[in-house]
Amino acid sequence: MAPRRQGATGEREAEDAQGCCVPGECLRPREPVRVEDAVRVLCNNDTCAVGRYMHRECFEQWEAGVLAYLKSCGRARSWSERQRHQNLWTKKGYDLAFKACGCRCGRGHLKKDLDWAPPGSVIRADEEKKRRRRARSGRTPAAVDVRSRAFSLSSSGSCSPPSASSEPSASPTHVVPHAITSAKRNSKSEIVSDRIRAGAGANGIFSRRLDFSTFNLLPKHKVNSYQIKIEDEGNHGNDDTRLFILSTLAGQHKPRVSCALCKETLDVFDRYPLVDGTFFLSPRQHTSSAVEVKVEGRTQYLTCVCMGCLERCDPERTIRCRFCGQKWDGSSLVLGTMYSYDIFMATPCCAERLKCNNCYKPLLHPHQRLNYSDYSHPVTCPHCRVLDAHFVKPLGYCFTKRAFPLFQQWP
C-alpha cells in the first residue's frame, strides 16, 4: 500500500507553515520545520492536510518506534537489526510495519519519501563519506538514542520505546567491543583515578568508565551500538541529554542512583553509556530516589532502571501486570541514555491500565492505542473532567513480582 506521490517545489512554503507532522509529540514544537534539515514523508490519504515534513530528530524518534514494531512482525523477527533498518521503507518491510505508521489525520499511513533529496544533500553526502572513512580508520560510530530510542533530551529529553530514538548513522556491525578496545588503550594515559571532571556543572563527582565489561551480561547479539548508547550526539561532547542528566544529578550531589525495581545502587559515568541501565522521565515519582526536574514547564522525575531488571536476568527480576499477568519487558530499550517518557507505562497491556485515576472509568477503548510517549502526557478524563497523567500509575498498582496470585500489591 504505497502512499501517493506528492510535492512540487511551489508548495514548499505552505508545507513549512504546517509545521512538523510527526505523529505524537514533536520534540521541537516551537521551531518551524526547515526543509534543508527535515525528512519528507507521504500519506496515502489523498485528503490529508497534516503536512509532509518532520524535524529530523522527530522522524528519527518516530522511525525507531516503527522499527521496534517491525521487530515483532512475521518474518522480520528473524532479520538482523541492520536488515530491519534497510528493509523498513521498502515494500519488503513496509508491508509488515505500515500499521505502526498511522498519520495524525487518522485516515492514512505515512511512509518516508525515498525519492526526495533535501537542499544541501550533496554536502551531507560528502560528510557521510568522510564519516565512513573515519569509522573504517577505527573510530567508534554514533549510537542510537532512543528506540521507541531513544527517544533523550535531545529528543525532548528522550528515546522511543520500548525501544527508543534517533536513527544511528552507522552499521550495527560496528560493535561495542571495538569501543572497549579503544577505551582500554587510552585508559592509562587519560585516567589518573576513577573520578574526573565531567564538565557542564558536573563538579567532577562522576566516574570515568574504564571498560565495558559489565555489558558482557547481555546476549552477544545485543552488544552493539544499537543497543548501547556510546557517543555524544552534540558537537565537542555537548550532548543535551548527557549534560541534562549530569548537571541535574550534580546539583543533587548524586554520583550514584538506585534502580526503581531492585533498588540496586548504580554508578553514574561522565560519558556514554551513562549508567548500566537506562534513565527515563516520568510525571510520577515511582521511588524516593527519583530526582524532581522541570522539563518544558512540567514537573518530571528522573528515574533509573538497571540492566538486570530490563533484561530480566533472573526470575526474581521479572515483573508482570497484576491484572492480566503479562510480563513487562524492557530488553528492547537502549542502555546508557534517557527516555523522555515513562517506560513502564508506554505499553499498557490491558484495559485496567487505561482507566482514569480519579473516577476509574475507561479513557480509551480496549483496542485503541497511542504513541509510546503520549501515555505520559496529561489528559482530561471525558467522564469526570479531571486533568491528570491518568495512564501513569504507581508501579505497585500495576505490577507484581509474584506469578500467582495476581491482584496482589508488589512487595
Side-chain angles (χ1 to χ4, degrees):
M1 50 188 316
R4 64 188 176 95
R5 290 292 169 197
Q6 308 180 47
T9 55
E11 301 177 34
R12 173 173 164 180
E13 291 81 3
E15 292 170 332
D16 284 351
Q18 290 178 324
C20 182
C21 68
V22 65
E25 180 183 14
C26 175
L27 305 179
R28 297 190 290 172
R30 297 181 181 87
E31 297 182 28
V33 178
R34 294 187 302 109
V35 176
E36 293 78 7
D37 189 32
V39 177
R40 180 183 169 102
V41 294
L42 303 172
C43 179
N44 60 358
N45 171 23
D46 290 337
T47 60
C48 177
V50 173
R52 295 192 280 273
Y53 291 100
M54 296 185 195
H55 295 110
R56 185 167 297 277
E57 295 91 336
C58 294
F59 173 81
E60 289 170 348
Q61 174 172 295
W62 174 71
E63 183 185 47
V66 179
L67 281 168
Y69 175 83
L70 179 62
K71 188 175 182 180
S72 66
C73 296
R75 61 180 178 273
R77 294 191 186 97
S78 63
W79 294 349
S80 66
E81 293 288 344
R82 184 178 187 181
Q83 288 173 321
R84 278 190 284 269
H85 183 260
Q86 290 175 336
N87 295 336
L88 177 59
W89 301 119
T90 66
K91 180 176 175 58
K92 188 175 183 179
Y94 187 71
D95 283 351
L96 298 172
F98 77 92
K99 290 183 179 179
C101 301
C103 179
R104 275 167 38 197
C105 72
R107 297 184 178 180
H109 296 86
L110 297 175
K111 184 178 182 182
K112 183 179 181 181
D113 187 351
L114 300 178
D115 296 330
W116 182 73
S121 57
V122 175
I123 296 176
R124 192 172 287 114
D126 291 341
E127 292 175 348
E128 176 68 10
K129 290 180 181 178
K130 292 178 181 179
R131 185 198 61 74
R132 289 177 179 173
R133 283 198 294 269
R134 288 197 298 269
R136 284 196 296 268
S137 68
R139 296 191 182 185
T140 308
V144 176
D145 182 0
V146 144
R147 165 104 12 104
S148 164
R149 281 335 227 116
F151 278 357
S152 62
L153 249 220
S154 49
S155 58
S156 164
S158 64
C159 285
S160 41
S163 336
S165 54
S166 62
E167 175 56 35
S169 57
S171 161
T173 56
H174 296 281
V175 294
V176 172
H178 176 78
I180 295 174
T181 303
S182 299
K184 288 182 177 179
R185 186 187 308 126
N186 296 328
S187 61
K188 290 184 179 180
S189 60
E190 292 184 357
I191 303 168
V192 178
S193 69
D194 67 337
R195 302 288 177 193
I196 74 154
R197 182 169 302 279
N203 299 328
I205 68 173
F206 300 107
S207 300
R208 167 63 60 92
R209 191 182 290 275
L210 300 180
D211 59 52
F212 291 72
S213 59
T214 56
F215 296 105
N216 290 337
L217 291 172
L218 296 172
K220 288 185 179 180
H221 71 275
K222 288 190 175 183
V223 185
N224 57 56
S225 60
Y226 283 115
Q227 292 286 156
I228 306 170
K229 176 75 171 175
I230 299 298
E231 288 191 346
D232 282 355
E233 303 205 354
N235 295 326
H236 309 296
N238 295 323
D239 183 282
D240 289 344
T241 302
R242 183 178 67 84
L243 299 183
F244 169 77
I245 293 173
L246 296 186
S247 60
T248 296
L249 295 177
Q252 298 287 326
H253 304 289
K254 288 190 172 185
R256 298 178 181 85
V257 292
S258 297
C259 172
L261 296 181
C262 69
K263 311 305 180 185
E264 178 183 349
T265 299
L266 305 171
D267 285 326
V268 178
F269 298 92
D270 65 329
R271 291 290 187 270
Y272 286 120
L274 297 176
V275 70
D276 296 342
T278 197
F279 289 100
F280 68 93
L281 293 174
S282 173
R284 181 178 292 274
Q285 189 174 19
H286 291 304
T287 173
S288 59
S289 61
V291 179
E292 181 177 335
V293 296
K294 288 285 187 180
V295 179
E296 297 181 349
R298 290 191 298 162
T299 298
Q300 303 279 297
Y301 294 92
L302 181 64
T303 313
C304 181
V305 184
C306 74
M307 178 170 58
C309 290
L310 291 172
E311 294 288 329
R312 299 183 300 178
C313 292
D314 58 68
E316 294 183 358
R317 294 180 184 266
T318 298
I319 61 174
R320 62 182 71 234
C321 176
R322 292 178 56 241
F323 306 102
C324 69
Q326 181 170 317
K327 295 179 181 179
W328 181 80
D329 185 7
S331 61
S332 63
L333 297 173
V334 180
L335 299 174
T337 183
M338 184 186 78
Y339 287 79
S340 64
Y341 54 85
D342 193 312
I343 59 177
F344 291 109
M345 308 300 160
T347 53
C349 51
C350 61
E352 291 294 326
R353 303 273 298 277
L354 303 177
K355 291 183 176 180
C356 170
N357 286 338
N358 182 61
C359 67
Y360 303 102
K361 293 181 180 179
L363 298 170
L364 299 174
H365 294 295
H367 301 295
Q368 186 178 356
R369 286 293 179 264
L370 305 177
N371 290 316
Y372 299 117
S373 59
D374 289 345
Y375 291 105
S376 295
H377 294 168
V379 296
T380 300
C381 174
H383 307 287
C384 65
R385 311 306 299 172
V386 170
L387 176 66
D388 191 13
H390 290 291
F391 300 114
V392 180
K393 305 183 187 301
L395 292 181
Y397 176 82
C398 293
F399 299 106
T400 178
K401 287 186 175 180
R402 302 173 189 264
F404 300 99
L406 298 179
F407 304 98
Q408 183 169 353
Q409 286 289 336
W410 180 21

